[in-house]
Amino acid sequence: MVSERLRAKLNEQIQKEFYSAYLYLSMEAYFLSQNLDGFANWFHIQAQEERDHAMLIFDYLNRVGAKIELGAIEAPPTDFASPEEVLQKTVEHERLVTRSIYDLFDLASEEKDHKTVMFLQWFVNEQVEEEENAEKNLASFRFVKDDPKGILLLDREMAARVYTPITSTNSQQ
Ligand code: FEO
């Protein structure tokens, strides 16, 4: 079991992860519209990973016998001024998600809910990677943004990303 407060917060986190997937799908759509298919691929895979994050929490709630309650997912922004704005927003969004995971971790720690602390440890580590990737993408783009050839090369690099399903918080990254 988990406390009612923690159960509610974990359910909210499912919603936030699905929102992240939705946001990244919207960003994928933007890159497709700009003919930057490699960037679009990167965001497509990012959206898949966000759904995996949501499902890990979904499965955890089920395993500890806590009620799963799915909330409404708000619409993401659909208009972006430039690739740089998208990449900047991705960094900002991942920082927000990290804050949210830390709040969950703090609550589980305060409640001495050790199993949930252990479960959330994976997400704490995952957020290091999420922020790092988002920051690298932004930095790389800023290096080449005035050079169309550089953008095309970066787009090719982004096209190489492949999806590996995340099925367990025991899996090592
Ligand atoms: Fe689910 Fe991008 O953090």
Side-chain angles (χ1 to χ4, degrees):
M1 64 155 289
V2 294
S3 73
E4 181 49 33
R5 236 173 119 203
L6 204 42
R7 186 192 73 82
K9 287 276 173 205
L10 286 163
N11 270 296
E12 271 174 32
Q13 192 64 35
I14 294 177
Q15 203 177 357
K16 288 178 187 174
E17 299 292 347
F18 275 119
Y19 175 76
S20 301
Y22 222 30
L23 174 65
Y24 293 146
L25 271 184
S26 189
M27 291 172 167
E28 176 189 353
Y30 166 76
F31 282 116
L32 287 172
S33 76
Q34 300 297 304
N35 295 315
L36 288 167
D37 291 1
F39 282 87
N41 171 65
W42 196 94
F43 279 92
H44 183 83
I45 290 169
Q46 193 61 24
Q48 284 174 300
E49 284 203 356
E50 297 301 350
R51 287 192 291 269
D52 287 346
H53 295 168
M55 290 312 296
L56 288 172
I57 303 168
F58 181 101
D59 291 341
Y60 180 72
L61 284 173
N62 179 50
R63 283 174 58 210
V64 298
K67 188 176 182 206
I68 297 162
E69 283 178 307
L70 301 178
I73 304 168
E74 70 175 279
T78 52
D79 294 309
F80 302 98
S82 65
E84 188 173 3
E85 187 197 54
V86 173
L87 299 173
Q88 175 67 49
K89 280 191 186 302
T90 305
V91 170
E92 287 162 15
H93 183 70
E94 286 303 332
R95 288 179 183 158
L96 274 180
V97 175
T98 300
R99 189 66 262 159
S100 177
I101 295 290
Y102 284 7
D103 288 347
L104 264 172
F105 194 93
D106 288 346
L107 181 59
S109 303
E110 273 167 35
E111 293 188 358
K112 300 193 191 325
D113 183 338
H114 295 182
K115 65 182 178 323
T116 304
V117 168
M118 298 290 281
F119 169 71
L120 290 169
Q121 184 70 56
W122 183 90
F123 285 86
V124 172
N125 290 332
E126 174 72 0
Q127 282 312 118
V128 175
E129 192 178 298
E130 293 284 83
E131 285 194 34
E132 189 185 10
N133 289 341
E135 283 161 11
K136 267 191 197 156
N137 287 346
L138 178 60
S140 301
F141 186 82
R142 283 183 175 156
F143 272 129
V144 300
K145 71 176 185 181
D146 297 322
D147 170 16
K149 253 193 244 161
I151 293 176
L152 281 178
L153 278 176
L154 188 55
D155 190 59
R156 234 177 261 170
E157 212 177 279
M158 304 285 261
R161 186 180 188 193
V162 289
Y163 170 62
T164 311
I166 305 163
T167 53
S168 161
T169 54
N170 294 325
S171 65
Q172 298 300 308
Q173 295 173 38

